[in-house]
Amino acid sequence: MNKFGRSGRRVMSTYWDSSALLNAVVSRAVADKIMPSDVTRAHAFCEVFSHLTGRGIPTKSGPVKLSNADAAQLIKHLAKKFTLRELTGEETLSALEDSTKLGVQGGRVHDLMHARSAVLAGVDKIFTRNIADFVGLPGAIPLERP
């Protein structure tokens, strides 16, 4: 990823995990924080799709579930705003090998893959609603709630 803008100045970038992307779906203020240099993984879009079509978006009158078509369109629009940094097979296997020393097991493996992707993308911070899920994962990238 090019870390320098047209002016030659370094451009800050943020990695968005699926919880942050979900916040962007429901909050214009959060969506407005997305910058052209921001990064995520395609798997994060699958997690958002799962939430939107499964549990739905919580509202005062109960959850609102989106149809598959509506969720796919919404995510397609959102995806245009991001650079994707996918993990190669070798990078994924390396992260899995590191899981024992990092104390990662079960569902936390998804957070490890997000963290590894963020490190490899060279981002300046990670947006997540689940800060505790990323504590102790490699990279020492600052964590923030969106």
mmCIF file of all heavy atoms in Angstrom, residues 89-112:
data_model
loop_
_atom_site.group_PDB
_atom_site.id
_atom_site.type_symbol
_atom_site.label_atom_id
_atom_site.label_comp_id
_atom_site.label_asym_id
_atom_site.label_seq_id
_atom_site.Cartn_x
_atom_site.Cartn_y
_atom_site.Cartn_z
ATOM 1 N N GLY A 89 -1.935 -17.921 1.820
ATOM 2 C CA GLY A 89 -1.969 -19.208 2.523
ATOM 3 C C GLY A 89 -0.808 -19.345 3.484
ATOM 4 O O GLY A 89 -0.976 -19.770 4.633
ATOM 5 N N GLU A 90 0.383 -18.966 3.039
ATOM 6 C CA GLU A 90 1.582 -19.050 3.885
ATOM 7 C C GLU A 90 1.458 -18.131 5.103
ATOM 8 O O GLU A 90 1.819 -18.512 6.224
ATOM 9 C CB GLU A 90 2.814 -18.680 3.055
ATOM 10 C CG GLU A 90 4.119 -18.889 3.790
ATOM 11 C CD GLU A 90 5.325 -18.641 2.897
ATOM 12 O OE1 GLU A 90 5.325 -19.132 1.753
ATOM 13 O OE2 GLU A 90 6.242 -17.943 3.361
ATOM 14 N N GLU A 91 0.942 -16.916 4.912
ATOM 15 C CA GLU A 91 0.765 -15.985 6.033
ATOM 16 C C GLU A 91 -0.269 -16.510 7.035
ATOM 17 O O GLU A 91 -0.103 -16.365 8.250
ATOM 18 C CB GLU A 91 0.353 -14.612 5.522
ATOM 19 C CG GLU A 91 1.447 -13.897 4.758
ATOM 20 C CD GLU A 91 0.953 -12.713 3.944
ATOM 21 O OE1 GLU A 91 -0.258 -12.575 3.700
ATOM 22 O OE2 GLU A 91 1.816 -11.906 3.521
ATOM 23 N N THR A 92 -1.315 -17.128 6.528
ATOM 24 C CA THR A 92 -2.345 -17.713 7.400
ATOM 25 C C THR A 92 -1.754 -18.850 8.225
ATOM 26 O O THR A 92 -1.950 -18.921 9.442
ATOM 27 C CB THR A 92 -3.538 -18.221 6.570
ATOM 28 O OG1 THR A 92 -4.105 -17.109 5.865
ATOM 29 C CG2 THR A 92 -4.592 -18.874 7.437
ATOM 30 N N LEU A 93 -1.011 -19.740 7.578
ATOM 31 C CA LEU A 93 -0.403 -20.867 8.286
ATOM 32 C C LEU A 93 0.606 -20.394 9.329
ATOM 33 O O LEU A 93 0.683 -20.950 10.425
ATOM 34 C CB LEU A 93 0.245 -21.829 7.291
ATOM 35 C CG LEU A 93 -0.732 -22.539 6.348
ATOM 36 C CD1 LEU A 93 0.020 -23.327 5.292
ATOM 37 C CD2 LEU A 93 -1.700 -23.421 7.117
ATOM 38 N N SER A 94 1.352 -19.361 9.005
ATOM 39 C CA SER A 94 2.306 -18.793 9.961
ATOM 40 C C SER A 94 1.579 -18.252 11.193
ATOM 41 O O SER A 94 2.018 -18.473 12.332
ATOM 42 C CB SER A 94 3.116 -17.679 9.287
ATOM 43 O OG SER A 94 3.950 -17.051 10.215
ATOM 44 N N ALA A 95 0.469 -17.557 10.973
ATOM 45 C CA ALA A 95 -0.312 -17.036 12.102
ATOM 46 C C ALA A 95 -0.863 -18.179 12.945
ATOM 47 O O ALA A 95 -0.847 -18.114 14.183
ATOM 48 C CB ALA A 95 -1.449 -16.147 11.591
ATOM 49 N N LEU A 96 -1.340 -19.239 12.300
ATOM 50 C CA LEU A 96 -1.846 -20.394 13.049
ATOM 51 C C LEU A 96 -0.742 -21.048 13.873
ATOM 52 O O LEU A 96 -0.972 -21.470 15.011
ATOM 53 C CB LEU A 96 -2.480 -21.417 12.101
ATOM 54 C CG LEU A 96 -3.766 -20.961 11.409
ATOM 55 C CD1 LEU A 96 -4.207 -22.000 10.383
ATOM 56 C CD2 LEU A 96 -4.860 -20.670 12.414
ATOM 57 N N GLU A 97 0.460 -21.103 13.321
ATOM 58 C CA GLU A 97 1.595 -21.649 14.075
ATOM 59 C C GLU A 97 1.915 -20.789 15.293
ATOM 60 O O GLU A 97 2.334 -21.295 16.326
ATOM 61 C CB GLU A 97 2.823 -21.772 13.175
ATOM 62 C CG GLU A 97 2.700 -22.888 12.163
ATOM 63 C CD GLU A 97 3.844 -22.913 11.161
ATOM 64 O OE1 GLU A 97 4.661 -21.961 11.121
ATOM 65 O OE2 GLU A 97 3.917 -23.896 10.394
ATOM 66 N N ASP A 98 1.707 -19.489 15.185
ATOM 67 C CA ASP A 98 1.975 -18.562 16.294
ATOM 68 C C ASP A 98 0.880 -18.577 17.351
ATOM 69 O O ASP A 98 1.047 -18.017 18.434
ATOM 70 C CB ASP A 98 2.125 -17.130 15.768
ATOM 71 C CG ASP A 98 3.360 -16.939 14.906
ATOM 72 O OD1 ASP A 98 4.267 -17.793 14.954
ATOM 73 O OD2 ASP A 98 3.411 -15.930 14.178
ATOM 74 N N SER A 99 -0.242 -19.210 17.059
ATOM 75 C CA SER A 99 -1.407 -19.143 17.952
ATOM 76 C C SER A 99 -1.123 -19.684 19.355
ATOM 77 O O SER A 99 -1.608 -19.118 20.332
ATOM 78 C CB SER A 99 -2.597 -19.873 17.338
ATOM 79 O OG SER A 99 -2.329 -21.258 17.235
ATOM 80 N N THR A 100 -0.348 -20.738 19.467
ATOM 81 C CA THR A 100 -0.076 -21.321 20.779
ATOM 82 C C THR A 100 0.673 -20.338 21.666
ATOM 83 O O THR A 100 0.256 -20.073 22.795
ATOM 84 C CB THR A 100 0.736 -22.629 20.645
ATOM 85 O OG1 THR A 100 -0.030 -23.545 19.872
ATOM 86 C CG2 THR A 100 1.025 -23.223 22.010
ATOM 87 N N LYS A 101 1.759 -19.767 21.150
ATOM 88 C CA LYS A 101 2.540 -18.837 21.980
ATOM 89 C C LYS A 101 1.774 -17.549 22.280
ATOM 90 O O LYS A 101 2.064 -16.869 23.257
ATOM 91 C CB LYS A 101 3.904 -18.544 21.357
ATOM 92 C CG LYS A 101 3.884 -17.729 20.103
ATOM 93 C CD LYS A 101 5.292 -17.518 19.565
ATOM 94 C CE LYS A 101 5.226 -16.822 18.228
ATOM 95 N NZ LYS A 101 6.484 -16.857 17.521
ATOM 96 N N LEU A 102 0.771 -17.243 21.460
ATOM 97 C CA LEU A 102 -0.042 -16.045 21.682
ATOM 98 C C LEU A 102 -1.272 -16.326 22.548
ATOM 99 O O LEU A 102 -2.011 -15.409 22.892
ATOM 100 C CB LEU A 102 -0.493 -15.462 20.337
ATOM 101 C CG LEU A 102 0.632 -14.931 19.449
ATOM 102 C CD1 LEU A 102 0.100 -14.623 18.059
ATOM 103 C CD2 LEU A 102 1.277 -13.709 20.082
ATOM 104 N N GLY A 103 -1.506 -17.587 22.874
ATOM 105 C CA GLY A 103 -2.660 -17.942 23.691
ATOM 106 C C GLY A 103 -3.977 -17.827 22.947
ATOM 107 O O GLY A 103 -5.016 -17.563 23.547
ATOM 108 N N VAL A 104 -3.934 -18.038 21.648
ATOM 109 C CA VAL A 104 -5.129 -17.900 20.815
ATOM 110 C C VAL A 104 -5.714 -19.273 20.531
ATOM 111 O O VAL A 104 -4.999 -20.182 20.108
ATOM 112 C CB VAL A 104 -4.782 -17.196 19.482
ATOM 113 C CG1 VAL A 104 -5.946 -17.243 18.519
ATOM 114 C CG2 VAL A 104 -4.345 -15.770 19.738
ATOM 115 N N GLN A 105 -7.001 -19.404 20.784
ATOM 116 C CA GLN A 105 -7.715 -20.623 20.410
ATOM 117 C C GLN A 105 -9.169 -20.278 20.157
ATOM 118 O O GLN A 105 -9.613 -19.178 20.471
ATOM 119 C CB GLN A 105 -7.587 -21.697 21.484
ATOM 120 C CG GLN A 105 -8.093 -21.288 22.845
ATOM 121 C CD GLN A 105 -7.742 -22.323 23.908
ATOM 122 O OE1 GLN A 105 -6.649 -22.874 23.912
ATOM 123 N NE2 GLN A 105 -8.680 -22.586 24.789
ATOM 124 N N GLY A 106 -9.894 -21.210 19.587
ATOM 125 C CA GLY A 106 -11.312 -20.991 19.317
ATOM 126 C C GLY A 106 -11.539 -19.817 18.376
ATOM 127 O O GLY A 106 -10.745 -19.536 17.483
ATOM 128 N N GLY A 107 -12.626 -19.100 18.625
ATOM 129 C CA GLY A 107 -13.039 -17.997 17.764
ATOM 130 C C GLY A 107 -12.071 -16.830 17.726
ATOM 131 O O GLY A 107 -12.118 -16.014 16.809
ATOM 132 N N ARG A 108 -11.164 -16.763 18.698
ATOM 133 C CA ARG A 108 -10.205 -15.653 18.712
ATOM 134 C C ARG A 108 -9.227 -15.723 17.528
ATOM 135 O O ARG A 108 -8.533 -14.758 17.226
ATOM 136 C CB ARG A 108 -9.445 -15.630 20.039
ATOM 137 C CG ARG A 108 -8.689 -14.340 20.252
ATOM 138 C CD ARG A 108 -8.319 -14.109 21.702
ATOM 139 N NE ARG A 108 -7.609 -12.864 21.831
ATOM 140 C CZ ARG A 108 -6.386 -12.749 22.311
ATOM 141 N NH1 ARG A 108 -5.746 -13.806 22.761
ATOM 142 N NH2 ARG A 108 -5.807 -11.569 22.380
ATOM 143 N N VAL A 109 -9.210 -16.854 16.841
ATOM 144 C CA VAL A 109 -8.359 -16.984 15.670
ATOM 145 C C VAL A 109 -8.723 -15.930 14.627
ATOM 146 O O VAL A 109 -7.861 -15.430 13.905
ATOM 147 C CB VAL A 109 -8.411 -18.414 15.077
ATOM 148 C CG1 VAL A 109 -9.758 -18.700 14.422
ATOM 149 C CG2 VAL A 109 -7.278 -18.614 14.086
ATOM 150 N N HIS A 110 -9.996 -15.550 14.553
ATOM 151 C CA HIS A 110 -10.404 -14.525 13.591
ATOM 152 C C HIS A 110 -9.768 -13.174 13.929
ATOM 153 O O HIS A 110 -9.361 -12.433 13.035
ATOM 154 C CB HIS A 110 -11.924 -14.411 13.539
ATOM 155 C CG HIS A 110 -12.587 -15.668 13.094
ATOM 156 N ND1 HIS A 110 -12.495 -16.154 11.809
ATOM 157 C CD2 HIS A 110 -13.337 -16.572 13.779
ATOM 158 C CE1 HIS A 110 -13.156 -17.280 11.708
ATOM 159 N NE2 HIS A 110 -13.681 -17.563 12.890
ATOM 160 N N ASP A 111 -9.667 -12.866 15.224
ATOM 161 C CA ASP A 111 -9.010 -11.623 15.635
ATOM 162 C C ASP A 111 -7.523 -11.673 15.301
ATOM 163 O O ASP A 111 -6.940 -10.674 14.889
ATOM 164 C CB ASP A 111 -9.215 -11.383 17.134
ATOM 165 C CG ASP A 111 -10.678 -11.286 17.492
ATOM 166 O OD1 ASP A 111 -11.416 -10.589 16.767
ATOM 167 O OD2 ASP A 111 -11.090 -11.925 18.481
ATOM 168 N N LEU A 112 -6.914 -12.843 15.483
ATOM 169 C CA LEU A 112 -5.504 -13.005 15.128
ATOM 170 C C LEU A 112 -5.296 -12.732 13.646
ATOM 171 O O LEU A 112 -4.337 -12.048 13.260
ATOM 172 C CB LEU A 112 -5.018 -14.413 15.491
ATOM 173 C CG LEU A 112 -3.598 -14.773 15.054
ATOM 174 C CD1 LEU A 112 -2.570 -13.824 15.657
ATOM 175 C CD2 LEU A 112 -3.296 -16.224 15.428
#
